Amino acid sequence: MAKKKVKVIKINVDECNGCRACEAACSAFHAEPKYSTVNPAKSRIHVYWDPIRNIYVPVYGGPYVPAECLGRDKYIIDGKEYDECLFCRAAACPSRNLFKDPDTNLPLRCDMCESEPPLEEPVCVQVCLVDALTYEEREEEVEEEVKVDELEMGLEALIDKYGLDKVSDTLARISISKKAEEQRRGE
Ligand code: SF4
Ligand code: SF4
């Protein structure tokens, strides 16, 4: 068994006022270069609004899923039934258009703002002035796991979209042209 630091963001829906600062901050933090643009469509957190009850529900982008799930969850809050997929965290599920980068169509998954040096708190928590989002860390014993990083997740999404052969051919072509470019620069 290994020890793992578990990062938790607690969401208090009762406190959320729908300001969407978390969406803006997340998209800016993950922009290239960092903080160069703000585009909530590229955020890894989305805040849903129910106009009838006037409640806001922040939802984080979870793991990438290549296939639509067979079951559906139903949420009933204060007696009102909510859309089956509304609060699902699955990044880039093929049945809907959420948590996908609008430019590249690649999945957007919350990475807890991992960066070097590490942040004390994720940026969405920092900008939430009403404490609808609060951050905690704890240690847990876990089975050793194979880490699927963002690069692997992105490649998997491209393979699902274009097929393994096309992605492999494209990578091979880019690799040859990059090596040739490096050789030219070294001459
Ligand atoms: S920053 Fe906080 S209050 Fe504003 S939308 Fe996000 S969670 Fe809600
Ligand atoms: S923890 Fe970081 S990556 Fe995750 S939603 Fe908040 S700002 Fe975005």
Side-chain angles (χ1 to χ4, degrees), residues 28-164:
F29 183 76
H30 290 88
E32 292 284 346
K34 230 171 221 161
Y35 296 116
S36 56
T37 56
V38 174
N39 181 357
K42 289 176 177 254
S43 172
R44 292 141 199 247
I45 178 170
H46 286 291
V47 180
Y48 298 105
W49 176 50
D50 171 17
I52 297 169
R53 302 249 166 211
N54 201 27
I55 60 164
Y56 297 90
V57 183
V59 178
Y60 286 84
Y64 164 71
V65 290
E68 195 174 334
C69 64
L70 295 174
R72 292 285 186 267
D73 295 329
K74 282 205 169 171
Y75 289 81
I76 297 172
I77 304 174
D78 283 345
K80 182 173 183 291
E81 207 168 277
Y82 284 81
D83 182 294
E84 294 170 340
C85 300
L86 192 62
F87 305 131
C88 179
R89 299 180 61 226
C93 168
S95 70
R96 57 177 196 179
N97 212 24
L98 291 173
F99 299 118
K100 281 180 194 157
D101 186 301
D103 296 331
T104 62
N105 220 25
L106 290 173
L108 296 168
R109 178 184 184 179
C110 168
D111 61 2
M112 287 280 177
C113 295
E114 290 216 346
S115 61
E116 234 3 89
L119 302 183
E120 267 186 32
E121 290 185 329
V123 292
C124 57
V125 174
Q126 290 179 32
V127 299
C128 182
L129 301 180
V130 293
D131 287 343
L133 307 175
T134 48
Y135 181 66
E136 281 177 15
E137 284 180 3
R138 62 168 190 266
E139 279 209 332
E140 270 182 11
E141 287 196 334
V142 288
E143 301 281 349
E144 299 281 356
E145 62 170 309
V146 181
K147 198 176 174 205
V148 179
D149 63 16
E150 252 187 24
L151 174 64
E152 195 172 327
M153 208 167 73
L155 278 174
E156 220 181 300
L158 287 172
I159 290 166
D160 288 337
K161 188 169 177 195
Y162 298 106
L164 181 57

Side-chain angles (χ1 to χ4, degrees), residues 4 11-12 19 26 34 41 79 115 154 158 162 172 183:
K4 180 182 170 189
I11 303 167
N12 185 345
C19 69
C26 179
K34 230 171 221 161
S115 61
L158 287 172
Y162 298 106
Q183 270 176 355

